[in-house]
Amino acid sequence: MDIVNFTPVSAFLGGSLIGLAVALFFFFNGRLIGISGIASNFLTTKNNRLDNFLFLLGLIIGPIVYKLFTQEEINISISNSFFLLGVAGLLVGSGTRTSGGCTSGHGISGISRFSLRSIVATVTFMIVGILTVLIKNTI
Amino acid sequence: MNRIVSLISGIIFGIGLTVSQMIDPAKVLGFLNIFGDWDPSLAFVMIGALIVSSPFFHLFKSNKKPFFADSFSYSNNKELNKKLIIGSSLFGAGWGLTGLCPGPAIASLALLNNSSIVFVVAMFIGFYLAKFFDLTTQAR
C-alpha cells in the first residue's frame, strides 16, 4: 500500500461543513440528513416534498457557490461507460433504500447517533466497495 | 423558516462535498483502493463531519422539539437484519464500480456532466424499484 493524493486538511474542513449541515437540519428541522432518503422521498412521497426539493436544490447550488467565491474550477473525472454507470446507479438506488441509508445517512447521521445499525451498514458497504475496487483492478 | 434551513443545509452540504473533493468519484475510488495506491482523505471527511454533528445529537436529543418543526422525526429502528446487510452490499458494489454515491452524484449535476446525469437517473429508477418491490427501510 502506498499513500497518494492525501489531502487531510481540505478533507477535514469539507467534512466539518457536512457535519454542520447535518447539525443544522437536525437542530432546526428535526430531521436527519441522508441523501438517499431525501432524494427517494422527494420522488415517492408528498410528505416534506418542498423541504426535500429545497435541500436537493441546495446540494446542487453548493458547488456553484463554491466556484463563485473561490474562482476555482471543480474537476471531476468519471471514466465509466454509460452502461456501467446505469448498472451502478441501479445498485446504489435499490441498495440504499433496502438498507435505509447511504454514506451520509448511515455513515454520518447514523454513526453520529452511535446507531449500531448504521455502524454495521457502513462497515458492510465499505468492505464491499473495497472488494469491488480490488476485483475491478485485478481483472 | 424550515424551508430556508432546508435550502441552506443543502448548500452547506454541497460546499462541503466540493471543499473535501468528495464530489470527484476518482477521489472516492482512491479511498476504496486500500490495497493499491491509497488516498485516506475520505476517512478525514467522516471524522470532520462526526466531530461537528455528533455533539449536537447528544446535546439536543433530550429537547422536546426542534426550532422549526413540531417534533424530531427519525426512526429508532435497532434491528440488524438481512435487508440491512444485503442493501448495504448492493450499495457498496455500485459505489465501488464508479466511486459515486447519492450525495456527490446529485451535487455533481451542477457541473452538467452527462455521466452524472446517467447515474442519477438510474439511481432514481433504483429508488422506485426498491419501493415497488416493497424493500424500503425507513431507518437508521
Side-chain angles (χ1 to χ4, degrees), chain B residues 36-83:
Chain B
D37 291 331
W38 190 42
D39 175 359
S41 304
L42 189 145
F44 275 60
V45 178
M46 289 191 67
I47 292 166
L50 294 175
I51 285 177
V52 176
S53 62
S54 200
F56 266 83
F57 291 118
H58 298 278
L59 285 172
F60 295 107
K61 69 180 173 190
S62 52
N63 281 19
K64 285 197 184 65
K65 62 201 252 347
F67 247 73
F68 301 133
D70 297 331
S71 62
F72 287 107
S73 57
Y74 55 86
S75 110
N76 243 332
N77 186 343
K78 291 199 168 62
E79 207 186 343
L80 299 174
N81 53 18
K82 264 193 242 164
K83 277 171 73 176

Side-chain angles (χ1 to χ4, degrees), chain A residues 122-139, chain B residues 28-29 31-36 88-89 91-98:
Chain A
T122 306
V123 170
T124 307
F125 65 65
M126 286 208 171
I127 290 174
V128 176
I130 288 166
L131 290 176
T132 306
V133 168
L134 183 66
I135 294 166
K136 221 172 53 175
N137 288 348
T138 30
I139 51 174
Chain B
V28 175
L29 287 176
F31 174 77
L32 295 175
N33 192 18
I34 198 162
F35 296 111
S88 299
S89 302
F91 166 44
W95 196 37
L97 280 176
T98 56

Side-chain angles (χ1 to χ4, degrees), chain A residues 4 24 34 39-40 45 53-54 106:
Chain A
V4 294
L24 288 175
S40 71
T45 143
F53 170 75
L54 289 170
H106 278 311

